[in-house]
Amino acid sequence: MKNFDLDFVRSQFYAFDADNPLYQKAFFENAGGSFPCKFVVDKLTRFYETKKVQPYGYFNGSIEAGEEMDKSTEKLARLLRVPTNNLHVGPSTSQNTYVLANALRLSKTKRKTLIVSNQDHEANTGVWRNLATQGFEIREWGVRSNGSLYLEDLKQLIDCTVCLIALPHVSNIIGQVNPVEEICNLARESGAFTCVDGVSYAPHGIPQINDFNPDIYLFSSYKTFGPHLGVMYVSDNLAAELESQCHYFNKEFPNKRFTPAGPDHAQVSALGGIYDYYEALANHHLNNKSPLSFSTYDVNHLIASQEKKILKPLLDFLKTKTNVRLLGSYEVEDRVPTVSITIKKSNIALAKELNELDISVGAGDFYAVRLLNALNVDINEGVVRLSFVHYTSDSDVEKLISGLDQHL
Ligand SMILES: Cc1ncc(COP(=O)(O)O)c(C=O)c1O
């Protein structure tokens, strides 16, 4: 295996060769949205230029558009190692959970308890909590003072009335990876379904969904080097329980059942570009011989090792700063590179000051208001979030550390 080749990686993104002031900055708002890879942008552009007609028809162009969309979702399903029929593409994760909650509301389930966490982004908690008005009991799996969720606490909440457990794979604030395999096993043993929000996990390693068997797995492709869509896996067992949310005559099409708002066709056709990017990473770094058989595990490992390498100096630096509160762990092994801090003076002012130094960071609550409240963070100030991915350079991290040092 070759060492991680940052030049090669960055050459796969127009953002790094664009003559655009935004792209010249050290960019640390990747958890808000990553740059799309060239494969995705090229597919999107080509679709708009040459195939922007109603797909799945009987004339050339329309036939090709439909084929390209199908090929794209098949590739994505292969990357995630799930059957294509279980994969649904909607406009966003928030839209997808909204639709799923409605499907559950209209289902005939006799189990009427939902377990939700306060570690989630609101997209995977508010929609379920709202079902309290529809005869469901809501139990909250609360974080402890360090922001973490504990299995022992979850076990206290589970009984034979629980229908669904909603949780994040990774918190978009503290960056902690939750033990989803154990949680999904626990839920299954008690007959409950699981809904795992993988939005903050997927950019750091393509989830191999079969490995932990959730009933719902969600992520947003615009944070995973792709177009602005929400991707969701729904298990056959759960799909059979839920009420379809599509036109009545489309119920027999598995991929249409939970996507009433058909997403942009061009973006669907571009989703496969994420697969092509991973394949390019494998070909370049892993001496991959057969294009269709690269191991996503190996690529995930390559990416995660690089991320941990560049994350460590930042965490070590933050550890030395007594006037900074880091939310979550200082240990690289415990987390992805989504790092939230608060300082004594204004967090928003800090984000603005870093912008003056050509360092782009996020500030605010990131729709994780319940978690920030539980951690006694002032919601008006929120946190400063420093989030990076494998294409972030060591020199950008150095620049960030130096910028922070100047202002702390
Ligand atoms: C962890 C997490 N879940 C869900 C969402 C919602 O995703 P979308 O913007 O696709 O609705 C976000 C968006 O920031 C997120 O960070």
Side-chain angles (χ1 to χ4, degrees):
M1 195 207 292
K2 266 196 212 161
N3 286 337
F4 185 84
D5 183 348
L6 184 66
D7 289 339
F8 172 79
V9 165
R10 285 168 82 101
S11 75
Q12 304 301 308
F13 292 83
Y14 288 115
F16 297 116
D17 54 41
D19 184 18
N20 173 337
L22 171 67
Y23 297 147
Q24 305 307 313
K25 296 191 174 193
F27 185 68
F28 290 95
E29 224 311 57
N30 291 284
S34 68
F35 295 136
C37 63
K38 283 183 179 174
F39 289 107
V40 165
V41 178
D42 291 348
K43 280 180 189 293
L44 194 60
T45 311
R46 216 168 39 246
F47 194 98
Y48 271 116
E49 283 174 355
T50 64
K51 299 185 190 71
K52 186 65 191 77
V53 291
Q54 185 67 6
Y56 302 111
Y58 302 100
F59 56 92
N60 296 347
S62 174
I63 297 168
E64 287 163 22
E67 284 173 354
E68 203 163 304
M69 288 165 67
D70 288 348
K71 209 157 59 179
S72 179
T73 45
E74 280 159 22
K75 276 185 171 180
L76 190 65
R78 203 182 306 144
L79 193 63
L80 298 164
R81 285 202 304 130
V82 293
T84 313
N85 275 350
N86 296 96
L87 211 56
H88 309 259
V89 181
S92 70
T93 294
S94 304
Q95 177 74 45
N96 286 343
T97 53
Y98 188 88
V99 171
L100 288 171
N102 207 39
L104 182 64
R105 177 177 73 85
L106 297 169
S107 77
K108 305 207 167 37
T109 180
K110 296 215 166 42
R111 289 178 165 235
K112 291 285 185 187
T113 303
L114 306 176
I115 297 181
V116 294
S117 91
N118 61 354
Q119 199 193 50
D120 274 278
H121 180 284
E122 192 62 17
N124 193 34
T125 192
V127 292
W128 306 117
R129 289 172 194 258
N130 287 345
L131 294 182
T133 59
Q134 308 292 323
F136 285 84
E137 179 193 333
I138 308 300
R139 293 182 190 163
E140 185 177 88
W141 182 17
V143 295
R144 295 198 193 166
S145 57
N146 58 1
S148 297
L149 291 168
Y150 286 83
L151 268 183
E152 304 92 270
D153 299 341
L154 175 63
K155 284 179 189 163
Q156 302 297 318
L157 300 173
I158 297 181
D159 62 24
C160 62
T161 68
V162 175
C163 172
L164 180 106
I165 303 171
L167 67 141
H169 195 163
V170 163
S171 152
N172 66 335
I173 297 292
I174 67 166
Q176 182 192 358
V177 184
N178 287 316
V180 284
E181 189 177 349
E182 270 177 280
I183 296 165
C184 291
N185 284 340
L186 195 66
R188 209 170 310 110
E189 278 163 21
S190 71
F193 295 113
T194 42
C195 177
V196 181
D197 176 351
V199 173
S200 292
Y201 179 87
H204 310 289
I206 294 294
Q208 299 299 280
I209 293 175
N210 269 336
D211 287 349
F212 48 97
N213 277 322
D215 292 287
I216 302 168
Y217 193 89
L218 308 139
F219 72 97
S220 304
S221 53
Y222 71 95
K223 299 180 197 266
T224 311
F225 322 116
H228 198 120
L229 293 173
V231 177
M232 68 178 156
Y233 160 87
V234 182
S235 71
D236 288 334
N237 283 347
L238 178 58
E241 287 257 339
L242 296 177
E243 197 61 32
S244 294
Q245 297 297 298
C246 58
H247 298 312
Y248 73 92
F249 43 79
N250 278 335
K251 274 184 184 174
E252 302 315 315
F253 299 98
N255 307 103
K256 293 190 176 176
R257 292 192 58 210
F258 306 115
T259 52
D264 172 18
H265 301 143
Q267 294 197 65
V268 174
S269 85
L271 268 177
I274 301 175
Y275 176 99
D276 297 339
Y277 174 55
Y278 268 70
E279 185 179 66
L281 290 177
N283 286 340
H284 186 77
H285 293 93
L286 306 170
N287 305 322
N288 184 43
K289 296 278 183 319
S290 157
L292 294 182
S293 68
F294 74 89
S295 157
T296 313
Y297 291 107
D298 289 344
V299 182
N300 283 347
H301 178 69
L302 179 83
I303 283 174
S305 309
Q306 170 67 9
E307 287 185 348
K308 291 194 189 309
K309 193 178 123 225
I310 55 175
L311 173 60
K312 190 163 182 337
L314 176 64
L315 293 179
D316 289 347
F317 163 77
L318 291 173
K319 217 186 257 182
T320 65
K321 294 284 158 193
T322 48
N323 53 350
V324 178
R325 176 181 176 201
L326 170 73
L327 303 184
S329 169
Y330 284 105
E331 302 306 319
V332 285
E333 293 312 323
D334 296 342
R335 52 153 65 243
V336 299
T338 302
V339 178
S340 301
I341 57 171
T342 61
I343 57 170
K344 293 241 163 56
K345 61 179 188 174
S346 163
N347 292 318
I348 291 167
L350 174 61
K352 288 180 180 169
E353 283 163 7
L354 291 172
N355 183 45
E356 295 300 310
L357 300 173
D358 282 346
I359 301 167
S360 307
V361 302
D365 60 45
F366 302 101
Y367 286 17
V369 175
R370 295 173 203 273
L371 174 61
L372 297 188
N373 277 332
L375 297 177
N376 296 317
V377 171
D378 174 3
I379 286 300
N380 296 320
E381 277 294 327
V383 296
V384 173
R385 189 172 70 178
L386 319 164
S387 61
F388 43 104
V389 291
H390 62 283
Y391 59 52
T392 306
S393 69
D394 308 57
S395 58
D396 281 349
V397 178
E398 278 165 27
K399 189 169 166 183
L400 172 66
I401 293 173
S402 149
L404 287 169
D405 205 20
Q406 225 170 298
H407 287 285
L408 293 175

